[in-house]
Amino acid sequence: MKRTVFVHPNRLARATFLAGAAALAVTLASAAQAQTTAKPADEKAADNSVEALEAADKSEIVVTGTSIRGVAPIGSPLIGVDQEFVKVNAPANMSELLSLVPQLGNFGVNHEIATTGRFRTGGFLPNIHNIGIFATLALFNGHRMAAVGGEAVLPDPGIVPVLGIGRVEVVADGSSAVYGSDAVAGVANFVYRRDMDSFEAQATYGFSPEHSFEKRNFGLGWGKKWSTGNVMIVSEYSSNKSPFNSEIPFLRADQRFRGGRDQRTTSCDLPNVTIGSTVYAYPSFAVGSANRNRCENQLNTQLVPESTRYSLLGTFRQELNDTITVWAEGNYSKLDTERVANPRVMNITVPGNNPYLVLPPGVTLAPGQTVAVNRNGEGLFPNPLNVQSSEVIGVTLGADVKLGGGWLMNVMTHYSKTNDYNSQPEIDLVAAQNLANGTTLATAFNPFGQAGQNNPAVLAQINNGFTQINDSSQYLRQLMVKADGPLFALGGGDARLAVGSEFRDEQAKQLQIGGVPGPQQLLVRNDNISRFVAAVYSEINLPFFTSKNARPGLERLELSVSGRFDHYQKLGGTFNPKVGLVWAPLQDISLRGSWSTSFVAPNLGLITSIFGVPQIGLNIAGFGNNVNIYNQGGGNPALTPEEAETYSIGADIKPSFIPGLKLSATYYNVKYKNLIYKPTQADAFNNPFFSFAVVRNPTAAQVTAAIAAAPPQSPVPARIDAIFQSFAINVGQRIIDGLDLDLTYKLPTNFGDWTLNVNANRQIGFRQELAPGTGFQDIIGQQSAIKWRGRGQLSWSKGDLTVSGFMTYVGGFTNITTGTPFPNVKSWETFDLTVQYNLPNLLKGSQIQLRGSNIFNRWPPFYDGTLGFFQNAHSPYGRSLEITLRTKF
């Protein structure tokens, strides 16, 4: 089914939706009153319960993937991460927890450095089936949260203290019919606890015996339950200390010791100079490109930022009477990070009258001839320290109103705001070039020497506080009204309906400045973007056969149909349906399937104004060396929504003749089109399809127009050799399919209780087409589409002692990077071990846990890249050891 997008937004559309909301509220009340004599649904029947919620009142629970209380999402797979999983794995934060679930894409990777592959900007988020971080919707106790960051705006799961998480529910299926935008691959919902009834504390300290990595986490919570409500306040502090790359033996650009290539940079503290067409290595003046100085620039840098986070979560719920329950949530988080980055690259043209000029023996310059010097800033200036901070504030208020006849209305209002600050110090390359034209020892820059061979006053003019600063804020204001309840009786129970509406006001402010602080500092962009979103939706659940009226071949048959209409200011409207079916021909076997359409509206960070990045002295294959480019980057207000069609089929088996065994398999298929993509430099200069993204040898008028359209973040050099458009565009489509597999077996014995779990994802196909008619390419088995990811667990528990072993598996793949002599990357298996012991005699509810990650200290498999490992799938950190203490008082 093809969606229709109507692009005719105006004030009338907003008024229409507001009027619709009022009409909806009246309709809900009327429908509820009409049901006052209907038989209440058997909401606690096993057919509609969710086993992961055994301790909860199922009749009041809304499970992720549906709008109807007390039922699981029909036809869609539901992956649960409960408190026991959290305790056994003892993550330092939510992102680390999510990286342990195979279906979530960035699996087994240090969450701070994980990226998502093509068509997407980098970052860690739930990334179901590796389809893309914007294709997975993150919810916080059932509602959205304001996004974090500038261009790649995404909500941050790390704002939630681990101690406050009751469970994480992952629906790995298209869910725009329920939730609207972003739910192409599915939804990850972080559900807060409601069972805390004392003080609880948890502390974790982890370190690596191999290098200086450390992490610390401390959480403290207090909760109180009473017959009509509960309250919880949880705070958390977490931090990590990151090693330098030099501490990890294989993090080298020169991988010849492992059979790979030497990819060291030629921008070193010892310069390489070019005179005419001849390259010389300074100071030996060895001739030729093969003899250039090479160096490992990244040794004194860090892959992962050092970070400190403080977070706070508060929840409150109170029944005012038999009809009304009110509730509230508050979130606060402050994250500060800093990371030592690579030294700055300098490409300087030195004239013949620079007093520091040194020429190779026997070489003289012709009149007006210059020397091109390529080096980095190491030895002249400290490596830059990139600093970032992120603050999140969220307040949610709600009320549940019983309307009679089993109907319940929910009203929720939410406000959240994020503040982000990012500073990236640079050096003033224009000042460096101007000073290289100096004619005296006191005023000229010496690019051949180090700090001791330069006038400090000259160096201070180059390292003059030049920086790139991005100061942004994101806002979300949300109102949701929903009601659900029984409609009429069917053989298996009551047919149940949910209807609702949602209104969101999204806003992004972004101030970007560049250059030296003062009156000459460049204003790159000052955006204030907002849009209004309105939606109405409905869902019906039809239990034709359940345990109440089961018969041979029809132990269970349930159908769910849902639909949602969203209207985006400036984008128009879209309707997305979903159909789900569950059929159990036998008590031991349940078959399910679903079909839906979904969409992803471009987030506000992708529709900001564009800006210019002058790039000086680049070497571009197929174009030239020492090239100056004007890169037009940033957002693109002309972006349109991505669209998807998804279906899945699966089976759940619980053989009665093997108690404790559960098997699950799900096949999924996603057709994802109109994808948002940022062309790379290699795309523009080497792929004919992206020829529109580059202007070679532009005229002065073309350069002037490019600068006017995209204000520069740094001074523009006098010569521009190419204009490159790297801002986001809509292009191409993907078709992705695969299998999710899960096995759980619990076996109680006289010698203790055993638990076996295996969770795996197998991608079958990953085809992509850059544009209609250009043809599909299947990249399955390559670095962007690894076939297998899995995690297995074997636990033994007796009395107060629990011992658990884990194996994480990432399949091998083919490295298609041009020029690599070793394209085959091996699979990677790592092993973790945890030992938990309850300390009831010390303090009731106390526990000590020891955990070893990658206990055999296995290096990631060799990947012939600039660091020797593949960041999207492998962790460079090796073995780490942790101790965790938990207590209640």
Side-chain angles (χ1 to χ4, degrees), residues 82 86 88 176 207 240 304 327 349 381 419 446 495 598 634 668 804:
D82 57 15
V86 174
V88 169
S176 286
F207 70 98
N240 75 281
V304 176
W327 50 274
T349 300
F381 315 106
N419 300 308
N446 175 15
S598 298
Y668 58 88
S804 301

Side-chain angles (χ1 to χ4, degrees), residues 410-447:
N410 313 103
V411 180
M412 186 277 292
T413 181
H414 168 83
Y415 169 84
S416 53
K417 176 187 178 184
T418 65
N419 300 308
D420 290 271
Y421 176 84
N422 195 325
S423 173
Q424 297 183 359
E426 298 180 1
I427 55 176
D428 193 334
L429 295 176
V430 172
Q433 180 60 67
N434 292 335
L435 291 164
N437 296 328
T439 58
T440 69
L441 294 176
T443 61
F445 170 47
N446 175 15

Side-chain angles (χ1 to χ4, degrees), residues 98-247:
L98 294 175
S99 71
L100 300 175
V101 181
Q103 287 78 12
L104 296 183
N106 299 321
F107 170 57
V109 187
N110 297 88
H111 65 96
E112 301 94 339
I113 62 173
T115 53
T116 58
R118 301 180 69 78
F119 294 114
R120 290 302 180 201
T121 52
F124 186 95
L125 252 196
N127 183 8
I128 295 173
H129 297 146
N130 204 36
I131 293 174
I133 50 178
F134 292 119
T136 296
L137 174 63
L139 297 176
F140 297 78
N141 221 32
H143 59 80
R144 295 173 182 254
M145 188 75 69
V148 171
E151 288 182 37
V153 287
L154 301 161
D156 179 11
I159 69 172
V160 182
V162 173
L163 201 60
I165 280 292
R167 63 192 184 275
V168 182
E169 296 172 352
V170 179
V171 177
D173 203 2
S175 300
S176 286
V178 179
Y179 298 107
S181 180
D182 307 338
V184 166
V187 182
N189 186 16
F190 304 90
V191 182
Y192 304 153
R193 291 178 61 179
R194 291 171 62 177
D195 63 344
M196 191 176 290
D197 200 22
S198 63
F199 280 99
E200 294 188 20
Q202 174 176 303
T204 297
Y205 172 73
F207 70 98
S208 172
E210 318 302 327
H211 44 71
S212 61
F213 171 77
E214 289 184 347
K215 73 174 183 180
R216 296 174 176 85
N217 175 271
F218 179 74
L220 178 64
W222 172 80
K224 181 67 176 177
K225 296 193 302 182
W226 54 93
S227 61
T228 56
N230 67 286
V231 64
M232 180 183 72
I233 301 174
V234 181
S235 62
E236 182 177 75
Y237 163 83
S238 61
S239 67
N240 75 281
K241 179 181 179 182
S242 297
F244 286 92
N245 292 354
S246 58
E247 301 177 51

